[in-house]
Amino acid sequence: MRLLLKGGTVIDTHPEVVVRRDTDVLIEDGRIAAVGPGLEVDAEVIDARERIVLPGFVDTHRHLWQTALRGIAVDAGLGTYFERVLGAYGSRFRPEDVAAGNLVGALECLDAGITTVQDYSHVQRTPDHADAALDALERSGIRAVFGYGPSPLSGGAVEAGEMRRVLARRSGRLGLAVAAIGPSFAPFETVRADWELADSLDVPVVVHISSSSDTPDPVTRLRDAGLARPTTLYVHGNNLPDSELKVIAETGAAVSATPTVEARMEMGQPLAGRLRAAGVDFSLGIDVVTTAGGDMFRAMHEVLSLGYPTFSAAEILQLATSAGARALGLPDVGSLAVGNQADVILLRATDLNLAGGLHDPVATVVTSAHPGNVDTVLVAGTPVKRDGHIISTSLPDALSELAESAVYLEGASV
């Protein structure tokens, strides 16, 4: 299959952010085949002349299963979130609730231009729960790294046999990771078991991280135990001392920062500037729609508010694209380089909030764009959104399933 995106304002993000005006993007067999002006080939043409063409956004941390609980923890601290969302509500989740949340959550991502999501699915009480989550991801059309793991309330290790079973679900669009509870929240024998399981399966680890009175130096503990890996993705870590950030940098691992949730749940001061100063590779995630909006534009705005001496608009755009791909170990995602996966989004440059913004399209996207501007979304060259509408699956059916789930779950209201 060949697609030609014709005449757009093309923004690429790696190795540097560059803007190419009146440029075509040729897609063949799901990958970027050529980028340049005046490409003349036999292909289906998408008119991009009044569009900003970008690599799809990469959300490196999200709990998709919580979509039906949108907004319930905006005014709650972390303790209340654990008690209410993971405890009272999470204990009621059936496989069909996981499926509904994952599907609508993934479609929400695609609608907003997020083409890759790391789904940290810590609601895996039965094999049916895992299958429901994976089926929904496949049905949506999104690219995902599925993090399989238990609720942190359990304190337990990832179930090795079940992890091996779900690993068979890997595909071109679906990767797997061990979603460990980790050294901040679990006994160290559990930590070792999870990291050794990930090693045996050659998959990454995703883990929430923080410093506490019991475990002030969780990353150092991993390093000293021989468990530090460049394939570990740490999430949050706002209250880690600088010495711990230095260990993350030295071991080649990455961090996912989720600015809105970290602020609302009072996890500590904004993390992005400290990560940059420590030399840590990091990226952006949404985390939970119980507490934050579900699109990457909002996350970029949070980093923008730190000020221009800290991050330029171009650097912020990289955090939402190519840096996220690196954090997830996806070398052929996150930019429009020839040979990469054709995960591409088109924004309407003529929308009122973007009008007049082609002097500096990068700054315009980072400061002013929102999900309503996303006209077309491709994942591996396959359209999942066209002309402003989701087409990968039936949106009315997905929303109906989520509404039924939300009504059922309301029985857990506390």
Side-chain angles (χ1 to χ4, degrees):
M1 177 181 177
R2 277 182 162 186
L3 279 177
L4 184 64
L5 312 181
K6 192 70 176 173
T9 297
V10 175
I11 301 175
D12 203 0
T13 56
H14 185 76
E16 298 177 329
V17 175
V18 295
V19 177
R20 300 182 174 99
R21 301 177 190 275
D22 301 316
T23 294
D24 306 337
V25 178
L26 176 63
I27 298 167
E28 292 183 350
D29 298 324
R31 293 186 177 269
I32 306 293
V35 179
L39 299 180
E40 298 296 337
V41 295
D42 182 18
E44 178 185 345
V45 174
I46 294 179
D47 186 356
R49 286 176 296 176
E50 294 182 334
R51 303 291 185 265
I52 299 171
V53 181
L54 294 158
F57 297 126
V58 180
D59 176 354
T60 56
H61 184 69
R62 196 172 185 125
H63 304 292
L64 286 174
W65 63 272
Q66 296 179 18
T67 305
L69 305 178
R70 188 182 306 275
I72 68 168
V74 173
D75 297 328
L78 187 59
T80 302
Y81 165 82
F82 269 70
E83 178 183 346
R84 189 177 187 200
V85 176
L86 299 185
Y89 281 99
S91 63
R92 287 180 59 86
F93 264 70
R94 306 162 300 179
E96 54 262 46
D97 303 310
V98 174
N102 263 45
L103 180 58
V104 173
L107 294 179
E108 178 185 10
C109 287
L110 293 171
D111 190 55
I114 296 170
T115 53
T116 299
V117 64
Q118 195 286 300
D119 177 24
Y120 192 113
S121 194
H122 54 354
V123 66
Q124 302 308 322
R125 298 201 311 276
T126 71
D128 288 344
H129 285 74
D131 287 336
L134 291 162
D135 290 345
L137 291 173
E138 291 176 346
R139 180 178 166 193
S140 73
I142 203 165
R143 187 181 306 282
V145 177
F146 179 73
Y148 173 84
S151 168
L153 299 181
S154 75
V158 174
E159 208 287 312
E162 183 64 7
M163 182 69 202
R164 292 187 175 91
R165 186 187 72 83
V166 301
L167 196 62
R169 300 287 299 268
R170 275 194 299 197
S171 66
R173 284 193 295 104
L174 183 61
L176 275 295
V178 167
I181 296 175
S184 298
F185 306 103
F188 207 77
E189 57 269 24
T190 298
V191 174
R192 185 178 294 280
D194 286 343
W195 261 254
E196 290 179 350
L197 174 63
D199 284 348
S200 72
L201 300 177
D202 193 25
V203 298
V205 172
V206 291
V207 59
H208 300 92
I209 201 78
S210 68
S211 180
S212 69
S213 57
D214 292 332
T215 312
D217 54 351
V219 187
T220 297
R221 289 195 71 193
L222 286 172
R223 183 198 63 190
D224 292 350
L227 300 178
R229 304 283 188 273
T231 53
T232 299
L233 177 61
Y234 300 102
V235 182
H236 310 314
N238 300 66
N239 69 348
L240 292 177
D242 290 344
S243 57
E244 288 291 274
L245 300 185
K246 183 179 179 182
V247 174
I248 294 175
E250 290 172 347
T251 57
V255 170
S256 177
T258 68
T260 300
V261 170
E262 290 161 4
R264 292 300 296 178
M265 293 191 184
E266 298 184 327
M267 296 183 189
Q269 292 301 307
L271 187 59
R274 291 181 61 219
L275 291 170
R276 178 174 182 170
V280 177
D281 283 339
F282 74 101
S283 57
L284 298 177
I286 300 304
D287 201 354
V288 286
V289 296
T290 63
T291 307
D295 64 89
M296 193 59 70
F297 299 105
R298 296 171 190 250
M300 289 194 291
H301 294 169
E302 291 280 350
V303 182
L304 189 74
S305 70
L306 298 177
Y308 74 86
T310 308
F311 294 97
S312 69
E315 290 166 336
I316 294 171
L317 186 61
Q318 287 178 315
L319 293 176
T321 52
S322 56
R326 287 198 307 275
L328 295 180
L330 301 174
D332 59 351
V333 170
S335 81
L336 301 179
V338 171
N340 271 13
Q341 296 281 351
D343 296 355
V344 187
I345 65 176
L346 280 69
L347 311 182
R348 288 184 300 274
T350 53
D351 283 0
L352 284 173
N353 62 303
L354 301 183
L358 293 183
H359 305 285
D360 187 341
V362 174
T364 296
V365 168
V366 171
T367 60
S368 301
H370 58 62
N373 304 129
V374 179
D375 179 81
T376 298
V377 179
L378 311 174
V379 177
T382 298
V384 292
K385 183 178 183 180
R386 287 290 299 268
D387 302 320
H389 300 286
I390 290 290
I391 62 172
S392 63
T393 192
S394 170
L395 187 57
D397 287 349
L399 292 173
S400 177
E401 292 164 11
L402 188 76
E404 292 175 6
S405 177
V407 169
Y408 160 77
L409 290 167
E410 191 55 30
S413 180
V414 292

